[in-house]
């Protein structure tokens, strides 16, 4: 099933592509990056955790973010979703500044309403799935459609069912989270985010809380989303996924993007010492089978 095609066909703003004026206006914003981050800085108390991050994410691009623990990966994603304020720089979503507005030539914090408007098309999936335990899978996906999007019960149910189908859980709509595996719960959380028809999905270590044998089913759903053209930023330790799916891999170290490039360049030709060390640690942890001299080298 093509999630993105489904979404765009139901989007209220979609216009027939044959109408010249509509396609002309639609192509202009499409040319701009979906997300544009310029010199982003963020401190917690005395500690500057983002120290000047520049990043662009184009439409339909999949960006995987890797890096050591504490390097600022979650903070970066949280700034993109307006779950965290930032101190300096710009975060633009589809050309619009997030979190701030200009008044009398000065930058001031934007209102909640304005922030929600700009971040409306950003979906996020966390390491902890945070499903409501007292609601079924279907209820969890419907919740924000009813409360935030104010859909009718029938429309919310229809869309929620379609999203559960997208993540391969149409048959689990009536199940409560406690009766679902971690992988299934995370797929419900993905369905819940997709139901809001985001233009970009942010994933913060979506498989890190899962038992190893459940990781694959979640990555599979994410791969399908990527194939369908979803724009995605994924913080992950799944290097195989990053190598296969990412258009761009970003290595964050100590609050800065130290390296970014195509997966092949980042993984195979890593010259930057901190990146080399990071990847070496990863390979050391994951190498469990050596047979001879040829196989003792990390990939
Ligand atoms: N709400 C917060 N208050 C204080 N310090 C924080 C907060 N959130 C994150 N930090 C600190 O910011 C740094 C970066 O954290 P984080 O973005 O979570 O890193 P990562 O996701 O790469 O592991 C860490 O040193 C962390 O302890
Ligand atoms: Mg993190």
């Amino acid at each position: 099933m093509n999630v993105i095609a489904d979404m765009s066909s139901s989007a209220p703003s979609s216009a027939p592509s044959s109408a010249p004026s509509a396609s002309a206006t639609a192509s202009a914003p499409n040319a701009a990056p979906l997300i544009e981050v310029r010199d982003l800085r963020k401190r917690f108390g005395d500690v500057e955790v983002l120290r000047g991050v520049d990043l662009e994410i184009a439409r339909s691009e999949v960006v995987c973010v890797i890096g050591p623990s504490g390097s600022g990966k979650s903070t970066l994603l949280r700034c993109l979703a307006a779950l965290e304020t930032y101190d300096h720089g710009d975060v633009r979503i589809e050309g619009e500044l997030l979190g701030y507005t200009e008044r009398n030539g000065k930058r001031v914090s934007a209102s909640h309403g304005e922030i929600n408007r700009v971040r409306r098309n950003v979906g996020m999936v966390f390491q902890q799935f945070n499903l409501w335990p007292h609601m079924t899978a279907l209820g969890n996906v419907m919740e924000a459609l009813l409360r935030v999007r104010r859909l009718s019960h029938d429309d919310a149910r229809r869309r929620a069912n379609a999203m559960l189908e997208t993540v391969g859980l149409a048959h689990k709509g009536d199940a409560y989270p406690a009766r679902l595996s971690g992988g299934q719960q995370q797929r419900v959380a993905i369905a819940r985010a997709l139901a809001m028809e985001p233009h970009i999905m942010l994933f913060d270590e979506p498989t890190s809380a899962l038992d190893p044998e459940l990781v694959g089913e979640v990555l599979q759903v994410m791969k399908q989303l990527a194939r369908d053209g979803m724009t995605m930023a994924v913080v992950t330790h799944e290097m195989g996924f990053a190598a296969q799916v990412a258009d761009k891999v970003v290595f964050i170290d100590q609050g800065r993007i130290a390296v970014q490039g195509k997966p092949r360049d980042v993984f195979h030709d890593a010259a930057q010492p901190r990146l080399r060390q990071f990847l070496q640690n990863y390979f050391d942890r994951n190498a469990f089978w050596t047979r001879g001299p040829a196989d003792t080298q990390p990939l």
Side-chain angles (χ1 to χ4, degrees):
M1 169 180 179
N2 186 324
V3 185
I4 309 308
D6 265 39
M7 285 181 178
S8 55
S9 65
S10 63
S13 59
S14 67
S17 57
S18 55
S21 58
S23 58
T25 49
S27 65
N30 279 352
L34 206 159
I35 288 209
E36 205 174 353
V37 177
R38 290 274 166 258
D39 199 19
L40 178 64
R41 292 168 191 268
K42 166 76 184 172
R43 64 169 59 244
F44 290 113
D46 290 344
V47 186
E48 196 172 30
V49 298
L50 294 178
R51 302 189 302 143
V53 171
D54 293 286
L55 178 66
E56 285 187 3
I57 306 178
R59 257 164 232 280
S60 291
E61 193 174 30
V62 177
V63 174
C64 284
V65 180
I66 61 172
S69 177
S71 57
K73 305 180 298 297
S74 293
T75 305
L76 172 61
L77 281 204
R78 290 172 60 80
C79 286
L80 301 185
L83 297 174
E84 210 65 82
T85 57
Y86 55 96
D87 307 324
H88 177 93
D90 297 344
V91 173
R92 286 181 193 281
I93 298 176
E94 299 182 308
E96 295 201 83
L97 187 65
L98 177 67
Y100 296 96
T101 184
E102 297 272 330
R103 201 174 294 149
N104 304 327
K106 273 184 69 178
R107 184 180 269 205
V108 295
S109 296
S111 66
H112 284 304
E114 174 66 6
I115 291 172
N116 282 336
R117 189 184 64 75
V118 175
R119 64 135 290 162
R120 180 185 160 97
N121 296 322
V122 179
M124 187 146 174
V125 172
F126 304 88
Q127 182 174 334
Q128 303 299 340
F129 338 116
N130 302 327
L131 300 180
W132 294 111
H134 61 287
M135 287 183 185
T136 62
L138 191 67
N140 268 282
V141 181
M142 287 173 67
E143 172 70 1
L145 295 175
L146 295 169
R147 281 177 189 267
V148 181
R149 292 290 196 256
R150 305 216 174 272
L151 260 54
S152 72
H153 202 271
D154 279 355
D155 286 348
R157 173 177 288 271
R158 205 171 300 122
R159 197 192 289 179
N161 268 320
M163 291 304 121
L164 285 176
E165 192 179 331
T166 301
V167 300
L169 290 176
H171 59 300
K172 291 289 185 186
D174 293 335
Y176 286 88
R179 304 299 295 269
L180 298 171
S181 72
Q184 290 171 332
Q185 289 185 56
Q186 188 60 299
R187 285 149 67 196
V188 173
I190 293 173
R192 176 179 58 185
L194 288 175
M196 305 296 275
E197 303 187 317
H199 295 178
I200 179 165
M201 287 279 281
L202 310 176
F203 293 87
D204 192 359
E205 299 198 34
T207 60
S208 293
L210 300 176
D211 289 336
E213 74 270 24
L214 303 177
V215 168
E217 65 189 67
V218 172
L219 294 182
Q220 207 50 48
V221 166
M222 293 169 64
K223 277 182 197 170
Q224 187 59 47
L225 276 179
R227 273 197 290 269
D228 289 346
M230 177 59 85
T231 310
M232 294 165 45
V234 185
V235 173
T236 187
H237 296 289
E238 295 292 331
M239 300 300 164
F241 174 83
Q244 282 174 36
V245 181
D247 298 299
K248 182 159 77 187
V249 175
V250 167
F251 173 63
I252 296 202
D253 185 44
Q254 299 178 343
R256 286 208 177 95
I257 294 183
V259 178
Q260 61 175 308
K262 293 192 189 327
R264 167 171 294 277
D265 298 335
V266 171
F267 290 131
H268 289 276
D269 305 323
Q272 208 267 4
R274 301 270 310 180
L275 172 59
R276 285 191 80 90
Q277 185 191 356
F278 174 78
L279 292 175
Q280 188 64 55
N281 287 343
Y282 173 82
F283 290 129
D284 287 349
R285 263 199 324 279
N286 289 281
F288 62 95
W289 185 256
T290 55
R291 226 173 19 200
D295 293 316
T296 55
Q297 292 299 311
L299 294 177

